[in-house]
Amino acid sequence: MLALLFVAAVSAAQAIHPERWPQVTRVVPRDPQIEKAVDDLLSKMTVEEKVAQVIQPSIASVTPADVKAYHFGSVLNGGGGWPGDVRKASPKDWLAKADEFYTASMDTSDGKQAIPIIWGSDAVHGHSNIVGATLFPHNIGLGATRDYDLIRRIGEITATEMSVTGIDWSFSPVVAVARDDRWGRTYETYSEDPEIVRHAAEKFIEGLQGAPGSAVFLGRGKVIATAKHFIGDGGTVAGKDQGDNVTSEYELRDIHGRGYLGAMQQGVQSVMISQSAWHGREMHGHRALITDVLKGRLGFDGFIIGDWNGHGQVARCSNKSCPDAFNAGVDMFMVPDDWKALYENTLAQVRAGEISSERLNDAVRRILRVKMRAGLWSAGKPSQRPLGGHLESLGSVEHREIARQAVRESIVLLKNNGALLPIRPQQSVLVAGDGADNIGKQCGGWTLTWQGDGNTNADFPGGTSIWAGIRSAVEAAGGRATLSVDGSFTDKPDVAIVVFGENPYAEWEGDLKNIVYEDDKHLTILRKLKDAGVPVVSLFLSGRPLWVNPFLNASDAFVAAWLPGTEGEGIADVLLRVPDGNVRNDFRGKLSFSWPKLPTQTVLNREDADYVPLFPLGFGLTYKNRRELPSLPVDTSGVKEIRENTIFVAGHAEPWKLHVDERLMSQDEAGGRRILRWPGGERREISLSGTQPVDLTTKTKEGWSLAVDVMVEKRPTLPVALSMGEGTVDITPRLRSIPVGEWRTMRIPLRCFAAAGADMSRIDTPFRFSTAGELELRFADIELTPMKTQPACPPVIK
Ligand code: BGC
Ligand code: BGC
């Protein structure tokens, strides 16, 4: 099945039909005065100044002096990028740096035009790179609130806190629709349901930018918003980050495109391109989707920003040069480090006519238009703007109160047997688990650092852990709260709350091969408490639904708390009663994702023909509706099979590691990226190896084979060797007999490798492939499969 998908992924180049996409009327009409001012300015700019507008370096590699020399249009800080590379840079340091960049961009001493620079940052759950900012639940939790007005308010607060530190532009919201929960960015998305994504995106953008047509639009305390990542990032094969989306054009439009409709209806001013591909073609080079669909049919007249060297992945491009991405419609390159070379190459390409002056003018016009709409010339230095330096507005009590409300509304009650919740606070409450007193874990990725790792509670001044919230509510009512991370106790508590779940991750680092949540440590804690007769509440922190049947079974109550952010008190607000015994706050959260019943349900969405979730989209108990959840099956054999027999599927190799000689990696004409090209001359190889050798003797005896999906593009000119362990066979005749350009599965019985000298009881390299000649091919899945017939072995290579 997966193999088939992959075949589809790389075989046909897919056409786009712009007329199938809705024609959108712009909600921000062109202002003739602005358009004229843009034209006037354009006519005074040199080609060098124009090219500089389309370059966005990172503050880690560019200085205000560079900005003064080149007049770049923008800078960014990446996740975990801070002024001076100081992790704890203060809000004042951020503002001072913003002033320096602004001043440099406005310098006219060398005859260049004064054009305010804009600084972009990933404020994806609040102003999340700044110590002391209010951090909200990640989008997956906000989707569960269905409270769109609250989401708008969160956008407003985020814009306010950004303005305090002088940042003009947020790389949010993510409007992806995550369809495979193995994707490491699932938590950055509001829902698997395109309609929820559309509403949430619309309201969040309204909060960041202000309502189009109103006096506040891009005015005081507002920032430029970015809908990202265009398009299809949530629908890649196997949920692989930056992978390939092979859905139809209709699905692209109706599922992955819905958030962009919401964004257009709210006048979003920038869109970021995805590092994923559609049917093998890199989005950064996809002219039909960027120019014909987004700028054409959807009427987008803001500017397009690339994503972190995404242009470098386009066929024939590198991080330092990519006229094709620019010509496809990318208006500004995000080029963290290689800005100098990219600037020079782009300039040369304009001079040589490889990039037309119309295209350059169009890109610069879009950037200037947005800057003028944002009133940046009259706004002055970031510190002089209305909110600049108003530190009382960063992480304020009022802002934290809204974040706390969001926590209350986002958590979803999945199980509450015997009506264990809400808890009377006048009892002895044990709080356990490594997430209990751990604000970093509560916050997830994109928190002070890119991965959200390495944070301690001291890094969150003003924030509250879940434990701290429970303790204060229990103690205020005269009860007794005890923190015991490992769950041990001397006096038996009346009830235990165990907080555990996924550790922080971001982007592909969070990609999973399956959705089974494995955590023996906390499962043991839950079981021990249960065995001791202590009623147990599980509070599960995660960036996605995961298969947790054993944990559900071991708990009387189970709450999906997502990644709630800095205001941990919001949890106690719902879990505990008020002292007089009344319900303090009931649960309001409803799942914005379907929750798996089977460990193999990695793709589980409401529209599936065979939709059998454990809890459907929209599920969420309240204290009013009771329901007893029976004990659930815990069989994982289906997953075990996937794990043991898969060596490399849809780009995932875990637990094996893929090693490819870099010089072999190449891209096909369609912008695909999986073609391997052996230039000949010396022996070069691709291999998969692991740290733990596996024992394949039984499979060898039972007649299993190594199955390799391969498409030959150019037949081998010299012998090709395939090895498993120490056994090597000659597969040249096989490769020569496969028709060029067609996928075939090549099966080599394991006994052939044994006969060639492999010790099948200790295989640490299940796949090694090399030739010294010329050859071009692609691989899809590499698996161990049982075989009914036993073909002859290829000749052995000694
Ligand atoms: C940056 C992130 C970026 C990532 C991509 C990191 O070093 O901090 O913002 O998304 O690299 O490679
Ligand atoms: C991510 C973007 C992010 C950018 C800047 C990229 O790697 O994909 O979402 O905005 O880095 O940090």
Side-chain angles (χ1 to χ4, degrees), residues 56 76-80 120-124 129 170-172 174 185 188 226 228-229 233 241-242 272-275 305-309 334 336 446 450 507-508:
Q56 182 191 58
L76 91 146
N77 68 281
S121 187
D122 294 286
V124 295
N129 285 289
S170 181
F171 300 138
S172 68
V174 169
R185 305 192 78 161
E188 294 188 60
T226 310
K228 72 183 188 185
H229 311 79
D233 49 349
D241 191 46
Q242 305 189 6
M272 189 184 291
I273 300 302
S274 180
Q275 305 214 39
I305 174 80
D307 186 9
W308 201 275
N309 287 329
M334 187 187 291
W446 296 106
W450 177 38
E507 302 192 49
W508 62 89

Side-chain angles (χ1 to χ4, degrees), residues 551-579:
F551 299 83
L552 281 159
N553 288 346
S555 321
D556 299 282
F558 193 100
V559 177
W562 315 116
L563 300 168
T566 48
E567 306 316 301
E569 284 161 307
I571 303 283
D573 288 348
V574 184
L575 264 47
L576 301 177
R577 293 175 187 272
V578 286

